Amino acid sequence: MIQKPRGTQDLFLNNSKEWNAVEEKFRKVLNLFNYGEIITPMFESKELFVRGVGDSSDIVSKEMYEFTDRKGREYVLRPEGTAPTVRALIENKLYIQENLPYKTFYIGPIFRYERPQAGRYRQFNQLGVETFGIDSISHDVELISLGQSFLRELKINKDVIVEMNYLISGNERKEYELELKKYLNSFNDLCSDCEIRIKKNVLRVLDCKIDGNKFTEAPKMTLFASQENKERLNKTLDQIKQLGFEAKINFNLVRGLDYYTGLVFEFKNIKTDQAIIAGGSYNSLVEELGGPDLPASGFAIGIERIMMLLSDQEIKVADEDELDLFIIPLSDDAQFLTNKLLLEARTANLKVDTNWNIKNLKAGFKSAERMKSKNIVIIGENSINSDIYAIKDQNSGETKEMKFKDIVKYLKGEK
Ligand code: HAM
């Protein structure tokens, strides 16, 4: 038997229904926050991520699905959505003044060659939001409250905490990196990834999946931050709390992508210790990729991780699947009339169905029950000859007789 690739999923029946319902809720919230959608290709030039995300990141150094096309061009399946959005912003000149601030979102698959485990896939889906042309505490607070609004809309109100930190840059960062290296030299049992990162991108050591929790005494980055940046982080936290959301500062929070320049944050599932939502500001990326000097920030939600949380907390998002009417046809003529009624009812926005394989009443009632139909009608020789159809209300058990032409009106509550 041919099986799906490792780290991927098939979604069907209730799972795909829940998935779509979650996506619908996300879209509703995004509309309220006035974000417009951007749709970019699923594969991009490898160079975009090497330059955009950074070749010292795990994502670029060992997790990309890479291929060359027939002309030898190097492409990758997108391993994240921020660099492609910035590429599209620059290529389509979306940064012109009249578009700013530009607030956009994307929903779609992302590919990373990671070691699969619960909540970690090789093809997963992100809902990402990105904003360009704004850099302020108020905007940071609004961004985090957007993340909170998604959770509220899904009625997730426990097991998630928000952690924030402020990444420093320039000379402050250089000083801090020296101190951090001194501290890390006191360990002699670090994993090989840590050893490489100490040389290439020392901040990422704090984020190590193997050794990360050893570094509780690591020097705190914010101590090296300017007074202004420290105040900014505290003010952001304070305002988030005043809006009624819980959050805390985690001085060891760094991110796995190199483009962040200021605030970074994660919404973590405290039961699995996995991030559900993660992001921050990346004020140099647009310029680094050839665009204007434009501040930017955003985050992405891992939709599979949201689905896991919903399932753990037994939260159902999709509406109950119910039919307005199930039709049981008992002859060839009845099958034609059934098609006529199905079309008329569906045109009137009613959810109706039949099962063309049923040969008798017993099978018909069984199908109707399985499909949770509110009403049932049997179409047989008698009803066709007399033009009297009995509609059975499955809730009350009552039956109402009417002409064929009145069935749809009755179901719509018009008669
Ligand atoms: P990221 O932290 O790499 O950030 O991914 C964002 C979210 O995607 C994670 O918090 C997690 O929920 C989900 N995720 C990541 N890897 C996997 C995986 N292997 N399986 C399932 N879910 C996963 C970014 O991608 C940034 N582009 C976020 C961003 C947008 N920053 C600014 N704007």
Side-chain angles (χ1 to χ4, degrees):
M1 188 184 53
I2 300 174
Q3 294 184 330
K4 62 183 182 303
R6 209 162 116 72
T8 65
Q9 283 199 103
D10 296 318
L11 289 180
F12 42 83
L13 297 175
N14 279 343
N15 285 341
S16 53
K17 204 172 93 184
E18 283 296 314
W19 184 282
N20 283 327
V22 167
E23 191 173 320
E24 228 170 83
K25 298 259 181 206
F26 284 154
R27 287 180 184 277
K28 178 186 149 195
V29 173
L30 286 159
N31 183 44
L32 297 175
F33 274 74
N34 200 23
Y35 277 72
E37 186 164 6
I38 187 162
I39 302 172
T40 63
M42 247 176 263
F43 66 100
E44 296 268 1
S45 296
K46 179 178 173 183
E47 193 195 348
L48 173 63
F49 301 99
V50 173
R51 281 175 51 193
V53 178
D55 54 6
S56 68
S57 66
D58 282 357
I59 295 176
V60 170
S61 63
K62 46 188 181 190
E63 294 175 359
M64 292 203 293
Y65 280 88
E66 307 182 15
F67 62 99
T68 42
D69 75 359
R70 287 167 193 273
K71 291 247 166 81
R73 287 173 284 232
E74 288 190 297
Y75 289 118
V76 295
L77 297 180
R78 62 178 177 199
E80 63 102 51
T82 305
T85 307
V86 172
R87 196 250 331 120
L89 173 100
I90 299 167
E91 190 169 343
N92 299 292
K93 298 195 172 53
L94 298 172
Y95 49 74
I96 54 169
Q97 202 51 40
E98 67 201 64
N99 288 344
L100 296 181
Y102 177 51
K103 309 201 296 184
T104 191
F105 76 91
Y106 47 86
I107 299 185
I110 302 287
F111 305 85
R112 292 183 193 172
Y113 193 82
E114 290 198 81
R115 187 131 43 90
Q117 52 172 255
R120 196 189 297 156
Y121 296 92
R122 289 185 171 167
Q123 177 178 330
F124 59 99
N125 288 266
Q126 280 186 351
L127 157 68
V129 303
E130 314 290 356
T131 59
F132 300 95
I134 337 165
D135 180 15
S136 72
I137 293 178
S138 304
H139 174 61
D140 291 346
V141 172
E142 191 189 5
L143 206 56
I144 291 176
S145 61
L146 170 57
Q148 294 284 13
S149 300
F150 286 127
L151 300 185
R152 273 192 181 171
E153 182 67 26
L154 297 173
K155 305 200 166 50
I156 297 172
N157 53 21
K158 57 176 187 188
D159 299 341
V160 180
I161 53 160
V162 180
E163 293 184 347
M164 322 169 12
N165 195 12
Y166 203 92
L167 296 184
I168 52 176
S169 52
N171 280 342
E172 294 164 3
R173 175 118 165 206
K174 281 192 191 124
E175 274 175 46
Y176 173 65
E177 289 184 355
L178 278 178
E179 276 307 300
L180 185 59
K181 279 184 188 170
K182 263 192 226 160
Y183 166 76
L184 292 169
N185 281 339
S186 63
F187 293 84
N188 48 19
D189 55 348
L190 296 182
C191 72
S192 55
D193 271 355
C194 282
E195 295 297 344
I196 295 170
R197 285 174 181 157
I198 289 176
K199 294 190 189 97
K200 273 188 141 182
N201 186 354
V202 65
L203 247 62
R204 290 293 324 286
V205 174
L206 297 176
D207 201 29
C208 176
K209 284 170 194 146
I210 301 167
D211 289 326
N213 48 15
K214 286 185 185 163
F215 308 129
T216 46
E217 300 296 315
K220 295 188 179 15
M221 184 164 17
T222 31
L223 295 179
F224 293 75
S226 65
Q227 195 53 30
E228 193 191 339
N229 286 343
K230 273 187 233 167
E231 276 172 19
R232 182 164 175 166
L233 181 63
N234 286 328
K235 265 195 187 159
T236 309
L237 179 68
D238 189 49
Q239 291 193 18
I240 289 165
K241 285 185 172 165
Q242 282 190 49
L243 288 178
F245 301 122
E246 269 184 55
K248 65 175 191 183
I249 295 176
N250 171 358
F251 293 114
N252 281 356
L253 179 70
V254 289
R255 304 268 305 115
L257 306 100
D258 292 350
Y259 47 61
Y260 294 106
T261 51
L263 178 75
V264 286
F265 57 87
E266 286 187 356
F267 288 48
K268 259 197 195 152
N269 179 338
I270 49 173
K271 291 227 162 122
T272 61
D273 203 37
Q274 278 178 330
I276 301 167
I277 300 181
S281 49
Y282 49 97
N283 289 345
S284 323
L285 187 61
V286 179
E287 200 174 11
E288 271 166 26
L289 291 178
D293 177 11
L294 200 63
S297 47
F299 64 76
I301 304 183
I303 303 184
E304 284 75 6
R305 292 191 184 170
I306 287 280
M307 302 307 292
M308 254 175 80
L309 199 62
L310 289 171
S311 143
D312 288 350
Q313 298 188 8
E314 294 178 8
I315 300 172
K316 288 259 174 302
V317 179
D319 294 333
E320 263 306 311
D321 225 355
E322 272 186 340
L323 287 184
D324 293 304
L325 177 70
F326 184 85
I327 310 171
I328 306 176
L330 294 178
S331 68
D332 285 350
D333 286 350
Q335 289 214 353
F336 178 71
L337 269 186
T338 297
N339 244 333
K340 199 169 165 209
L341 183 54
L342 285 173
L343 185 61
E344 204 184 308
R346 287 167 178 164
T347 308
N349 287 326
L350 292 166
K351 185 166 172 173
V352 293
D353 208 353
T354 187
N355 176 349
W356 301 117
N357 292 331
I358 42 183
K359 296 277 182 287
N360 58 48
L361 271 180
K362 195 172 163 215
F365 280 112
K366 234 178 161 176
S367 277
E369 203 172 304
R370 195 167 48 82
M371 293 191 203
K372 299 196 196 85
S373 187
K374 288 187 255 180
N375 296 284
I376 300 179
V377 64
I378 300 159
I379 305 189
E381 289 309 312
N382 285 348
S383 46
I384 297 174
N385 292 335
S386 61
D387 192 22
I388 297 173
Y389 295 83
I391 313 287
K392 185 171 174 220
D393 181 322
Q394 289 291 86
N395 275 336
S396 65
E398 279 170 26
T399 297
K400 204 162 164 73
E401 294 190 336
M402 65 197 70
K403 290 183 187 313
F404 187 87
K405 70 174 176 47
D406 293 327
I407 299 176
V408 170
K409 279 188 226 153
Y410 167 74
L411 293 172
K412 296 282 282 182
E414 290 165 9
K415 209 164 178 174

